[in-house]
Structure formats: C-alpha cells, structure tokens
Amino acid sequence: MAEKSFKYVIVGGGVSAGYAAREFVKQGVQPGELAIISKEAVCTYERPALSEAYLSPEGTARLPGFHVCVGSGGERLLPEWYTEKGISLILSTEIVKADLPTKTLISAAGDTFTYQILIIATGSAVIQLTDFGVKGADAKNIFYLREIDDADKLVEVIKAKSNGKAVIVGGGYIGLELSAALRVNNIDVKMVYPEPWCMPRLFTAGIAAFYESYYTNKGVDIIKGTVAVGFGTNENGEVTNVNLKDGRVLEADIVVVGVGGRPLTTLFKGQVEEEKGGIKTDAFFKTSLPDVYAVGDVATFPLKLFNEVRRVEHVDHARKSAEQAVKAIFASEKGTSIEEYDYLPYFYSRAFDLSWQFYGDNVGDSVLFGDSSPTSATHKFGSYWIKDGKVVGVFLESGTPEENKAIAKVARVQPPVDSLESLAAEGLAFASKI
Ligand SMILES: Cc1cc2nc3c(=O)[nH]c(=O)nc-3n(C[C@H](O)[C@H](O)[C@H](O)COP(=O)(O)OP(=O)(O)OC[C@H]3O[C@@H](n4cnc5c(N)ncnc54)[C@H](O)[C@@H]3O)c2cc1C
C-alpha cells in the first residue's frame, strides 16, 4: 500500500478546500507541499450550482464551468491549475481513519497519508430517511442532493420521467430550490413539510407567505403540517407513492428528500474538542490540537459580531473560513499575526426568477417592508430583525447589487431604531441611508 507524506493536507475536496488551495498559492506554498484528498471524483466546485443551474432544462451549468472560485467572481481553478502549482489532487479517495496523534490518515483503499499540518474540510452529509427506518425509504428514485453524482442522477430521472410526478420532502433550502427546479422541468410537484411555513429557521410567517403563494401560482402544490411516513414501490423497486402521516397518499415517480444535514466529524471523534455539533475552533480555525485546523460546515467558531460560538452551513463562510485558516497557518510559520475572524453571516438563494439575500442574525422582533404581493410584477420586499433597539438582521428579495450592499452594511453597523412602525414604513430607504 502506498504511503505519501505532505507538509499540508486538506481532507475533503469541496468549497473550502478550493478556496484554501487558492490562498495557499497566494501565501507561497511550494510545489509538492500541499495535497487535497477528496471522496469525490472531480476537483473542487461551487456546490450551490447543483441545486440551481445544474438542474435547469437547458443544463447550463456543467463542469468545468463552475469549479471554484467562480462563485465569488474569482479565477476558475481547473485541474491543470493544481498540477501547475504542484498541488496533489487525490480524488476518488475516501479517508476512513484519522489518527491525529500520529498525524496519519488512511484511505478506504488502504493508502497512508502523513502530514505536518491538517485542515479538516469534510463538510456535511445529508440526513437520510433510512436513518430513521422510514418504511420503503430505500426505494429506487428517492433522491438526496449533496454531491455531483447525486445531481447527475437527478438530471437522468428528470429526463426519464418527463411530465412525471414528484414529491419533495422538506420545506427548507433544498426543498424550495428543488421544487422550483423540477417545476421548471415541467414535472408535477408536491412539497410536504411539517412546519406551519417554509424555511422556518430563517423566514418569518410574512416572508414565507410570499414564497408559498408564489410557488402555488407556479403550480407547486404545498402540503403543510404532516410528514412522509412510508413509501410504496412497484415490482422494479421504484417508488410509486408517498404515505403521509395524516393518512393521505401521494403518487410519485420521483421523490427528493431535503431534511437537513449533519457535519462529517465522525473520523475525528474523541480526538479534537467538539461544540454545538461541530469541531471547536478559535478565531483562526485552529482546533484543540496543535497543527489541526477545521473549516467550512464542520467548524464551530467564535462569531465575534454576536459574541457567541456558532456553526454555519453556508458557502460564503466555507470560502472565508478556508482563507482565514491558511493565512493563520502562514502567519504562525512566520511568527506574525493576523486579525481574528470577524464574520457577518450571509445566506442567499435563487429559485424561479426569485433571488434573496440575508445578512446578520434573525433574532428579536421583525418587521416586513415593501411590496410582498406574490402576483405583483414589481415585488420587492424584505424584513428587518431588531434586538435590544438595534437592527441585527436584514432580508431582501429581488434587491439590486447596490441594495444588497446596503442591507449588508446595516447588518454590520447595527444601527439603532426608534420605532418598529416607522422602520416598516421607511423600508429599504432606511438601509440606503446607512
Ligand atoms: C445542493 C446544495 C445547494 C446549496 N446551496 C447553497 C446556497 O444557495 N447558498 C449557501 O450559502 N450555501 C448553499 N449550500 C451549502 C454550501 O454548499 C456548503 O455550506 C459548503 O459547500 C460547505 O463547504 P465545505 O468545504 O465545508 O464542504 P463541502 O463543500 O461539502 O465539501 C466537503 C468535501 O469533503 C469530501 N469528504 C467528506 N468526507 C470525506 C472523507 N472521509 N474523505 C475524503 N473526502 C471527504 C466530500 O466528498 C466533499 O467533497 C448548498 C449545499 C448543497 C448541498
């Protein structure tokens, strides 16, 4: 079995790994010093493309079009770029054992990798209905979406079942984006979720009311307040129907499940400190072990702006945490220091012809502003969250780049507000003057 040794190893080849690689090169990594080990067969790419442009009927997004760092307007790093820079991209290689005290990783094929400095960038895995023993959940044509192989399977089934029926289980990010993507592909779509409204972790009832009506007008049938408890199959083992807890039975040729993810930390259990379900780091993404860093979805880090530790499963943080960790590694080698990570949470989503952005924290009171009529041709609306007399979070649908910049600034500056009524009446104008 092969044994390879590198100065720096990144385990995981997703968004953070790609942005880390670019930062390693900026910092002057030498050929042969860095390896990225990834379970996936392709080099690092912008994962959010999988639920949006990848599934469009025109199939507009395909690799190599969306390798990192195009998602943030940067250079597209093709496999040749890694070769040119002397970075070893070790693909289709799953690490199955990590022994951090001896700085050793072992792959499923039995290869051994040793390192001086490790960056853990393993991201998240989807929660599967089979994990809860849901009857029939292992049927054919029940899909999840995390990696490019999953997206390829979806593209195939969308073609094979054209004009078919899909049931989307879950009303979060993936549920909303996938319902739209399948509807645009002319599939009959039903969405099922237990909560009183979609995306309850972020949306207020007022925000959700817009999206639910908009989706309904696009032909998506939304079924709330119940869950999928079983699936029926035909003689080929393909899904035929979804049984709901409230007794209803929905016909389905395709089922897509988006019920959340969990950070992939199992390899490191008991070897590094954990907190809030992730690997605990400092403001430089250093874990409790010397020479081991954790970035992206797996890291639980100090969120300075809110004075608490958090784990964030969003692409913007994956990019920025990776860059911060690499800068910190080089600073510590040079005996210099860098600023602490001072992150402003930023999430976004696009579906149909909608596009929203959110900055800050969705805690405290909230006010809705603008035109949130789902049938209005000029809909543009948002929400402010106010805590301790200050605006701490802002959401905006259909903002221009300047307006999105303005709401980001509000969330960062946290201006005081006198009255919620006048804030609601002022709406976007409040953000534009900060
Ligand atoms: C379909 C989809 C749509 C999304 N859309 C948005 C969006 O619109 N906006 C937003 O802010 N965020 C979005 N996200 C979330 C965002 O993509 C993630 O937060 C981000 O990718 C996290 O980056 P990461 O590097 O931590 O993990 P990932 O990008 O998931 O990369 C982890 C990598 O590690 C590999 N790996 C894991 N375990 C091992 C192992 N043992 N050995 C080797 N390799 C391993 C995985 O195969 C994967 O390649 C979306 C996620 C998905 C799945």
Side-chain angles (χ1 to χ4, degrees):
M1 289 300 159
E3 186 166 336
K4 288 186 180 150
S5 195
F6 298 92
K7 184 168 181 191
Y8 312 104
V9 166
I10 303 175
V11 59
V15 173
S16 354
Y19 281 78
R22 182 175 68 168
E23 191 60 38
F24 265 109
V25 168
K26 276 192 197 159
Q27 297 288 335
V29 73
Q30 294 302 303
E33 285 186 334
L34 172 64
I36 296 176
I37 306 176
S38 182
K39 188 159 68 67
E40 288 187 85
V42 294
C43 112
T44 77
Y45 58 88
E46 302 283 2
R47 197 164 302 284
L50 297 183
S51 53
E52 298 164 10
Y54 205 83
L55 302 177
S56 85
E58 298 86 31
T60 41
R62 287 290 176 271
L63 288 177
F66 60 99
H67 282 302
V68 299
C69 303
V70 289
S72 59
E75 186 193 352
R76 188 162 53 116
L77 309 181
L78 299 171
E80 302 86 274
W81 178 88
Y82 293 86
T83 314
E84 237 170 63
K85 304 295 177 195
I87 298 171
S88 299
L89 259 186
I90 303 168
L91 302 176
S92 305
T93 302
E94 183 178 10
I95 296 301
V96 292
K97 188 165 184 246
D99 188 51
L100 301 184
T102 60
K103 298 189 165 189
T104 307
L105 305 171
I106 296 171
S107 75
D111 295 331
T112 300
F113 302 93
T114 58
Y115 58 83
Q116 291 172 37
I117 294 181
L118 177 69
I119 300 182
I120 301 171
T122 40
S124 305
V126 290
I127 294 171
Q128 306 215 358
L129 294 180
T130 45
D131 299 346
F132 311 113
V134 174
K135 198 166 163 264
D138 54 355
K140 285 183 195 153
N141 295 340
I142 298 182
F143 299 94
Y144 297 84
L145 182 58
R146 183 76 208 175
E147 301 193 342
I148 201 151
D149 289 351
D150 305 322
D152 285 335
K153 285 181 199 149
L154 269 172
V155 169
E156 257 174 56
V157 79
I158 287 170
K159 276 193 205 137
K161 306 277 178 189
S162 60
N163 303 316
K165 291 183 189 328
V167 174
I168 310 294
V169 178
Y173 251 102
I174 294 289
L176 283 167
E177 291 185 356
L178 268 288
S179 296
L182 290 175
R183 192 69 206 106
V184 169
N185 278 283
N186 233 356
I187 306 266
D188 176 275
V189 178
K190 290 188 168 50
M191 257 182 111
V192 181
Y193 47 89
E195 296 90 356
W197 64 80
C198 61
M199 281 276 283
R201 275 166 64 186
L202 175 62
F203 290 179
T204 60
I207 295 176
F210 169 85
Y211 292 100
E212 289 178 351
S213 301
Y214 195 94
Y215 273 56
T216 305
N217 293 342
K218 290 278 184 190
V220 176
D221 187 5
I222 297 178
I223 300 167
K224 298 192 266 187
T226 189
V227 290
V229 289
F231 299 90
T233 53
N234 63 18
E235 61 283 4
N236 300 323
E238 293 170 338
V239 71
T240 52
N241 59 275
V242 182
N243 304 327
L244 303 184
K245 196 173 181 184
D246 66 8
R248 274 183 277 184
V249 177
L250 310 176
E251 279 179 51
D253 307 302
I254 306 172
V255 172
V256 185
V257 183
V259 293
R262 57 186 161 74
L264 282 171
T265 57
T266 329
L267 282 175
F268 313 100
K269 282 252 174 280
Q271 304 188 66
V272 278
E273 272 180 43
E274 291 188 46
E275 198 170 349
K276 294 189 174 170
I279 297 174
K280 187 178 172 189
T281 75
D282 64 11
F284 308 98
F285 295 97
K286 203 169 185 173
T287 69
S288 56
L289 271 192
D291 303 329
V292 180
Y293 292 73
V295 296
D297 284 6
V298 294
T300 301
F301 63 96
L303 215 159
K304 199 174 168 184
L305 191 61
F306 307 135
N307 199 22
E308 61 176 74
V309 297
R310 289 220 189 147
R311 206 170 60 72
V312 174
E313 285 181 10
H314 292 286
V315 72
D316 179 60
H317 162 69
R319 296 168 180 152
K320 290 178 175 155
S321 58
E323 289 169 355
Q324 172 77 352
V326 177
K327 282 181 189 148
I329 290 169
F330 279 80
S332 112
E333 285 176 359
K334 288 182 206 139
T336 58
S337 61
I338 61 164
E339 300 262 302
E340 287 181 341
Y341 193 59
D342 186 8
Y343 185 62
L344 171 67
Y346 162 52
F347 322 141
Y348 68 88
S349 180
R350 291 181 209 108
F352 292 120
D353 50 353
L354 302 172
S355 168
W356 59 258
Q357 300 206 356
F358 168 81
Y359 291 90
D361 212 5
N362 58 325
V363 291
D365 295 322
S366 66
V367 294
L368 194 67
F369 63 82
D371 172 5
S372 60
S373 162
T375 50
S376 156
T378 54
H379 58 252
K380 180 176 295 205
F381 72 96
S383 183
Y384 292 110
W385 280 264
I386 304 98
K387 194 179 165 218
D388 301 330
K390 293 185 300 184
V391 178
V392 293
V394 197
F395 174 95
L396 183 62
E397 167 60 49
S398 300
T400 62
E402 293 71 35
E403 289 164 344
N404 287 329
K405 223 186 247 174
I407 64 161
K409 190 165 176 205
V410 170
R412 170 62 77 182
V413 172
Q414 301 189 342
V417 278
D418 302 329
S419 109
L420 300 188
E421 290 73 26
S422 55
L423 181 63
E426 220 181 328
L428 200 49
F430 175 86
S432 305
K433 69 179 193 213
I434 299 298

